[in-house]
Amino acid sequence: MSTDTFSSEHTGSIIEPILRWIYPAITAEQFALIHHLIRKAAHFTEYFIFALLLFRGIRGGRAGWRWSWGLLALFVAAVYSALDEIHQAFVASRTASPYDSLLDTVGAFAAIMFLFLWFRRQRPQTTREPA
């Protein structure tokens, strides 16, 4: 999504009519804020999903959780995010931002933490007998 197609100008031309249909009295400042928040949420969400898929690919046919799988998925997502921002520096309608890369990595980190908690919750609990 680091191409010209997903530049702020292009996504704005899609989002603005939808927002104006929902809220016709929206001001330019309100639209700019909502558009910005939608774009940043997309960064987080896209890398959250990417990290989930990376973890699944790294895990392969094995079951359960291993920190090495989670950390490798996080590392790959973070490196890919940095490379994606570098690519955007060469697209005329895009701007590269280390903050976007950080937000991407936070989304991937959230996915890995979600998986860790998910697998921890799925693990059968051992019960102790009362003494």
Side-chain angles (χ1 to χ4, degrees):
M1 296 192 169
S2 63
T3 62
D4 175 62
T5 304
F6 291 98
S7 68
S8 182
E9 294 80 26
H10 288 115
T11 59
S13 66
I14 295 167
I15 294 170
E16 187 171 14
I18 295 168
L19 287 177
R20 291 213 179 277
W21 179 72
I22 294 169
Y23 181 52
I26 193 168
T27 66
E29 294 80 22
Q30 290 169 328
F31 170 73
L33 175 63
I34 293 170
H35 185 221
H36 177 77
L37 292 175
I38 289 171
R39 291 181 57 80
K40 297 309 168 189
H43 274 273
F44 182 91
T45 304
E46 136 183 43
Y47 275 83
F48 185 96
I49 294 168
F50 184 44
L52 294 177
L53 295 173
L54 282 170
F55 179 84
R56 189 168 195 280
I58 292 165
R59 184 177 77 164
R62 299 167 288 198
W65 166 266
R66 294 233 169 85
W67 275 107
S68 58
W69 303 338
L71 292 175
L72 182 56
L74 178 60
F75 176 75
V76 170
V79 169
Y80 192 89
S81 171
L83 292 173
D84 186 49
E85 289 301 318
I86 291 169
H87 170 259
Q88 287 183 32
F90 296 99
V91 177
S93 63
R94 303 298 304 264
T95 55
S97 168
Y99 297 110
D100 284 348
S101 184
L102 179 62
L103 183 56
D104 296 340
T105 304
V106 168
F109 178 77
I112 299 305
M113 289 297 97
F114 169 80
L115 287 171
F116 169 71
L117 295 172
W118 175 265
F119 282 110
R120 185 174 167 180
R121 186 169 186 241
Q122 299 302 316
R123 198 171 42 195
Q125 298 294 322
T126 58
T127 58
R128 293 191 212 180
E129 292 185 29

